[in-house]
Amino acid sequence: MRCLRVPTYDWEVEAINTHVLPDRLIYDMAALISIGEYVCAPNDQGWSAVVVAVQDFYPPEVVYEEDFEKSIQKAESLGICKNRLWNLLSGCLRGCYDLPTLMAMIDTSDEKACLFRHTEDFGLRFQAANGAIGGLSGEHSHGDCTPDLCHFSSLDCTRVAQRHKCSSVDRQSCYLVQFPPMSDETMDDVLWYYRSDSSKARPCIVPVKSTCPDCVAISHVWSDGTGAGVQGKDLMNECLFRFFCDIAKILECGGIWWDAISILSEPKLRKVAIRNMHFYFHSAKHTVVHDEYLMRIPWKDDGTPCLALILSPWFTRGWTALELAMSKSVKVLFKDPDNDRVPLMKDLRNDVLANRMTASLGHQIASAIVRNVWRVWDIARGDRNLWELTDILKTRSTSWPRDRIVIAALLSGIDPAAEKTNMQASVMKQIVTSYSYMNASLLVHGSSTIADHGSISWCPTDLFSRTSTMLLDDIKLWHRLTLQIDPTAALEGIF
């Protein structure tokens, strides 16, 4: 038995009352069984038999001081961004107390452990600007990031040079593919593929309107150089275009939907297309997740690829949460440990996520974070809780505030009234009233509200941004109190 302490937001550790805690293994095993059965053997209501049998069981609110401090030191030594990690912990079953379990998945004695390090490639930004940005160039780490702030989350990823997929030797001969312009009439004809009768990648429009059952939708991050780039309008590196087309060919699909080339540039039409692009992910045969961070993680059947997924830049984007929620089949690209030339493609549901009771607790926790996105999208559920939506969007730290509200609306199954003058207040009310319940902890925010009076005057302006209320001593008591939301966004509950 030991004197226990809990972390504060700046990763310091402050003392609290002494607790007598049974062996942590008891709690970890109970949590493992509970989560495992929730995934593998739920009852008709979707609950684990353990949860039903022990309805008043709550995971421990404290962990051994040494466990937590060692986990913090381990994360720092690995170069993991504190902001990304802390955002993830806010969505875990036990919050920050799941940190030791997640960090235990990474074996620091393995030379590949350093691949979990978070970096930003300013070399691509350097190419785009034809000069260093703020004196920065090359690769930079997240060592100065704090739990409250990632120094790289607000960078403009649209001004990143496009990546090459060919070798440095072949790069000299790699040419730019010129895509034919799209007119207003071809707004839905946005699938591309290369002609197979030529040694060069000649793009052609695949004539599919509105739905694309035989295509691959590319879910990616612009920060790693897979966006539109800065080389000119409708121009793409041939090797990058062919790379995605080859992925489609492996999956027996005849075209790709890729936002970098599939969305019109005209401002009004582009705005409409962006609001509707999640439908392409819903109708696509497969969604392929591409992130250079994941492409360097060698595949292992030990749960670490799942941990890498939730730590990846791809998991910090708001739009990718919507893309994931809408997709029927998701394939993730990892590094093939036996072949450096081509990536290894794994199915998210069947291969990456934990599907066995024998999976480690860390793997179960990481999988639950991913599965929560699908749970939020289940708009037919009568018990939908607004907290679930806020929990998902807290991890999406690289989204612009306006985008975050639109994404929240689309995840809620509503069409946001984004053109209204007071867009934030009107869309927020649409979102709130689409849910039946919310946790009372959302009332404890300390922020300005979107209205000075009225039924929604309780709602903070930063509802979908992370706040520090999770560290209040009694926040768990507020969290366990469920309030009902009426059609006017007013709240009702017993306090």
Side-chain angles (χ1 to χ4, degrees):
M1 306 302 173
R2 303 178 186 277
C3 177
L4 303 168
R5 296 186 292 174
V6 296
T8 60
Y9 237 51
D10 56 0
W11 291 68
E12 297 293 331
V13 177
E14 62 179 14
I16 61 173
N17 294 333
T18 303
H19 292 267
V20 177
L21 180 71
D23 190 344
R24 179 183 142 210
L25 179 62
I26 297 175
Y27 291 99
D28 281 358
M29 287 300 297
L32 175 61
I33 295 171
S34 175
I35 296 174
E37 289 206 358
Y38 175 79
V39 173
C40 304
N43 61 15
D44 294 339
Q45 287 74 42
W47 291 100
S48 159
V50 174
V51 172
V52 173
V54 195
Q55 293 185 16
D56 294 327
F57 167 77
Y58 289 100
E61 298 181 2
V62 286
V63 295
Y64 287 124
E65 174 187 345
E66 288 85 353
D67 286 345
F68 202 93
E69 290 182 344
K70 287 178 181 178
S71 298
I72 292 175
Q73 294 168 4
K74 187 175 185 178
E76 290 177 341
S77 66
L78 289 170
I80 295 174
C81 175
K82 297 184 183 71
N83 180 255
R84 292 182 188 176
L85 184 59
W86 205 260
N87 285 343
L88 284 176
L89 292 175
S90 69
C92 290
L93 178 64
R94 296 181 290 181
C96 59
Y97 306 115
D98 275 328
L99 177 62
T101 304
L102 290 174
M103 287 296 99
M105 297 178 67
I106 305 176
D107 182 5
T108 52
S109 65
D110 186 345
E111 61 179 9
K112 303 294 184 182
C114 63
L115 298 175
F116 281 89
R117 181 173 181 258
H118 286 132
T119 59
E120 297 295 327
D121 188 355
F122 276 88
L124 291 172
R125 300 177 191 273
F126 180 85
Q127 295 173 32
N130 198 23
I133 299 178
L136 295 174
S137 63
E139 194 175 83
H140 286 260
S141 72
H142 286 245
D144 293 329
C145 295
T146 69
D148 286 313
L149 174 67
C150 173
H151 293 289
F152 304 101
S153 63
S154 59
L155 291 176
D156 184 1
C157 296
T158 62
R159 305 298 300 172
V160 176
Q162 201 169 85
R163 179 174 295 276
H164 280 276
K165 285 294 185 178
C166 55
S167 66
S168 56
V169 176
D170 297 333
R171 196 164 301 171
Q172 301 300 321
S173 58
C174 183
Y175 62 94
L176 292 172
V177 175
Q178 176 68 60
F179 285 79
M182 290 186 292
S183 63
D184 297 358
E185 291 74 20
T186 61
M187 184 175 174
D188 289 330
D189 295 332
V190 288
L191 307 184
W192 301 90
Y193 203 57
Y194 61 77
R195 297 186 187 277
S196 58
D197 58 351
S198 172
S199 60
K200 292 186 176 181
R202 299 182 184 276
C204 60
I205 288 180
V206 178
V208 177
K209 284 185 176 290
S210 300
T211 57
C212 39
D214 237 1
C215 88
V216 163
I218 308 299
S219 183
H220 66 109
V221 291
W222 286 50
S223 60
D224 67 1
T226 53
V230 293
Q231 62 278 359
K233 183 180 178 182
D234 299 325
L235 291 172
M236 289 284 155
N237 290 336
E238 182 272 339
C239 61
L240 183 60
F241 175 58
R242 185 181 285 273
F243 172 84
F244 286 130
C245 288
D246 287 343
I247 295 295
K249 186 176 181 180
I250 293 172
L251 294 172
E252 299 180 346
C253 292
I256 62 172
W257 192 96
W258 178 18
D259 58 359
I261 55 175
S262 297
I263 295 180
L264 292 169
S265 57
E266 197 280 322
K268 288 186 178 180
L269 293 176
R270 182 177 180 82
K271 186 180 295 186
V272 174
I274 289 176
R275 285 230 323 254
N276 293 327
M277 69 179 183
H278 56 291
F279 291 118
Y280 288 99
F281 287 87
H282 180 65
S283 56
K285 185 178 180 180
H286 302 286
T287 291
V288 172
V289 175
H290 176 282
D291 187 333
E292 287 294 324
Y293 178 85
L294 296 175
M295 293 276 285
R296 72 189 190 194
I297 301 292
W299 172 259
K300 282 186 177 182
D301 193 17
D302 61 355
T304 53
C306 187
L307 177 63
L309 180 70
I310 63 174
L311 288 173
S312 69
W314 178 82
F315 211 75
T316 68
R317 288 193 64 214
W319 289 110
T320 56
L322 182 61
E323 293 160 10
L324 173 61
M326 296 292 291
S327 300
K328 294 175 290 189
S329 169
V330 182
K331 308 294 183 181
V332 187
L333 301 179
F334 293 98
K335 180 181 176 60
D336 189 336
D338 301 318
N339 189 347
D340 289 334
R341 300 184 61 184
V342 294
L344 188 63
M345 190 158 38
K346 289 293 182 178
D347 185 83
L348 177 60
R349 292 180 187 268
N350 298 324
D351 301 324
V352 181
L353 302 184
N355 294 298
R356 303 186 304 271
M357 286 291 293
T358 53
S360 67
L361 178 57
H363 192 186
Q364 300 277 18
I365 292 171
S367 300
I369 292 174
V370 178
R371 287 190 173 100
N372 284 343
V373 179
W374 291 320
R375 180 173 172 80
V376 165
W377 174 244
D378 187 5
I379 58 179
R381 285 170 46 221
D383 62 341
R384 290 206 308 163
N385 192 311
L386 183 62
W387 170 265
E388 297 170 349
L389 178 64
T390 63
D391 217 29
I392 292 299
L393 292 178
K394 284 177 184 178
T395 64
R396 310 293 164 159
S397 56
T398 58
S399 299
W400 300 111
R402 183 182 177 89
D403 284 351
R404 196 181 293 243
I405 294 177
V406 174
I407 294 165
L410 295 172
L411 279 172
S412 302
I414 62 177
D415 184 18
E419 306 306 322
K420 287 190 176 183
T421 303
N422 189 11
M423 187 275 287
Q424 185 180 27
S426 60
V427 175
M428 195 76 82
K429 190 169 185 177
Q430 281 183 288
I431 296 170
V432 171
T433 54
S434 70
Y435 286 81
S436 304
Y437 304 96
M438 63 169 265
N439 292 350
S441 55
L442 293 180
L443 295 176
V444 189
H445 50 76
S447 303
S448 58
T449 57
I450 62 175
D452 295 331
H453 59 274
S455 59
I456 201 171
S457 58
W458 58 268
C459 183
T461 55
D462 60 350
L463 178 63
F464 303 118
S465 300
R466 183 169 55 88
T467 64
S468 61
T469 56
M470 61 175 284
L471 293 179
L472 293 175
D473 291 339
D474 58 348
I475 194 61
K476 286 185 178 289
L477 295 177
W478 284 89
H479 186 68
R480 292 169 188 167
L481 173 61
T482 302
L483 305 176
Q484 190 167 357
I485 304 173
D486 77 6
T488 68
L491 305 176
E492 181 181 346
I494 301 175
F495 289 83

